[in-house]
């Protein structure tokens, strides 16, 4: 079974509408859409915005459905000048840029307990996913995704995240899902399409581009499920 998590309704709509024989299964505050796409078993959920909701959803999905892989699909802000509106990105790794125990001597981003700053995505599955992006007509950029509980709309902050962590993309959920998947031993893929530049213009660009960017990422997810879903 393939698990799909998106933060917002817009980011899951296209996928949910393409699922056959869907049942809505409510667990806690979450609704899981269980169905199939081209005969491949799929479970999908809208987790809500931010790292806490994303973590809740990834944990519940793992325990309730034991997916073979969790794909996080959605939109993101660009931290790199090399990325443009509606470009596709696939994470090689994720980092929580707002995790900070540096006053205690740790590097910024360090997650205690598992002693990690970066959470690598499943290389083989992410490579396959990148091939699926290409099949949908988009050349994906493989890069580091930085997550935190803030919508980044500030050039100074964007430059800090990019420099500190070598990240090209920012969002509010990926690294939390990566964290939960890593702890549970579930392979994960992060697919994010650029909706804004995480700068002064982001508050105008995001609402305009979000739907289009979300659908581009969703199309790659559908291609992946069709080819590699179980
Ligand atoms: N998701 C899409 N754009 C974003 C931004 N600028 N900051 C955080 N999350 C985002």
């Amino acid at each position: 079974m393939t698990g799909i998590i998106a933060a917002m309704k817009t980011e899951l709509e296209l996928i949910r509408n393409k699922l056959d024989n869907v049942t809505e299964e409510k667990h806690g505050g979450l609704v899981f859409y269980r169905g199939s796409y081209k005969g491949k078993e799929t479970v999908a959920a809208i987790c809500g915005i931010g790292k806490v909701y994303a973590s809740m959803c990834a944990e519940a999905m793992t325990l309730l459905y034991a997916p073979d892989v969790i794909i996080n699909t959605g939109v993101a802000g660009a931290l790199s000048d090399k990325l443009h509106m509606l470009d596709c990105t696939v994470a090689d790794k994720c980092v929580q840029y707002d995790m900070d125990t540096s006053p205690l001597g740790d590097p910024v981003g360090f997650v205690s307990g598992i002693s990690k700053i970066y959470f690598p995505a499943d290389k083989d599955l992410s490579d396959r996913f990148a091939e699926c992006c290409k099949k949908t007509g988009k050349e994906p950029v493989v890069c580091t995704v930085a997550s935190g509980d803030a919508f980044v709309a500030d050039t100074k902050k964007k430059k800090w995240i990019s420099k500190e962590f070598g990240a090209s993309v920012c969002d509010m959920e990926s690294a939390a899902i990566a964290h939960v998947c890593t702890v549970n031993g579930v392979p994960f893929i992060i697919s994010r399409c650029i909706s804004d530049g995480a700068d002064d213009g982001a508050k105008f660009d995001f609402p305009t581009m979000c739907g289009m960017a979300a659908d581009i990422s969703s199309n790659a997810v559908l291609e992946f499920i069709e080819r590699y879903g179980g």
Side-chain angles (χ1 to χ4, degrees):
M1 175 179 278
T2 306
I4 315 289
I5 299 177
M8 299 182 301
K9 191 170 172 240
T10 344
E11 293 174 303
L12 194 72
E13 209 144 44
L14 193 145
I15 295 169
R16 194 185 52 181
N17 288 339
K18 297 233 169 184
L19 293 182
D20 297 318
N21 306 316
V22 186
T23 55
E24 285 188 25
E25 300 175 359
K26 293 188 179 141
H27 297 282
L30 293 157
V31 179
F32 293 92
Y33 302 96
R34 184 186 193 148
S36 62
Y37 178 67
K38 309 251 171 162
K40 308 293 177 84
E41 259 198 298
T42 305
V43 61
I46 300 163
C47 66
I49 294 168
K51 293 192 298 156
V52 172
Y53 280 134
S55 310
M56 287 164 59
C57 186
E59 183 76 7
M61 185 178 275
T62 298
L63 296 176
L64 293 163
Y65 298 97
D68 304 301
V69 56
I70 289 182
I71 306 175
N72 176 220
T73 179
V75 304
L79 300 175
S80 160
D81 295 341
K82 291 185 185 144
L83 284 171
H84 303 101
M85 222 61 96
L86 305 183
D87 278 352
C88 277
T89 69
V90 180
D92 57 359
K93 58 186 182 304
C94 299
V95 58
Q96 297 171 51
Y97 70 77
D98 56 356
M99 176 62 88
D100 187 1
T101 50
S102 63
L104 304 175
D106 298 324
V108 181
F110 184 79
V111 178
S112 302
I114 45 174
S115 299
K116 274 180 179 295
I117 298 175
Y118 294 100
F119 294 86
D122 187 280
K123 167 92 172 81
D124 178 47
L125 294 175
S126 298
D127 285 350
R128 291 187 201 187
F129 191 89
E131 287 304 316
C132 294
C133 285
K134 287 183 198 163
K135 184 80 198 306
T136 65
K138 298 294 279 188
E139 189 67 37
V141 174
V142 176
C143 61
T144 303
V145 177
S147 309
D149 283 320
F151 184 85
V152 181
D154 174 68
T155 304
K156 215 171 131 199
K157 184 169 183 179
K158 133 182 192 169
K159 285 197 169 145
W160 175 78
I161 299 169
S162 149
K163 191 158 182 281
E164 183 74 26
F165 300 104
S168 301
V169 163
C170 66
D171 68 18
M172 300 177 67
E173 297 83 22
S174 293
I177 292 168
H179 186 163
V180 171
C181 284
T182 301
V183 169
N184 287 299
V186 179
F188 69 89
I189 299 168
I190 308 293
S191 168
R192 293 276 177 167
C193 183
I194 301 301
S195 58
D196 59 83
D199 53 13
D200 298 348
K203 64 176 176 219
F204 304 109
D205 295 332
F206 176 81
T208 320
M209 306 307 289
C210 186
M212 234 185 306
D215 287 355
I216 289 170
S217 178
S218 295
N219 279 321
V221 172
L222 291 170
E223 181 69 28
F224 181 90
I225 300 172
E226 182 176 355
R227 282 208 215 177
Y228 301 113

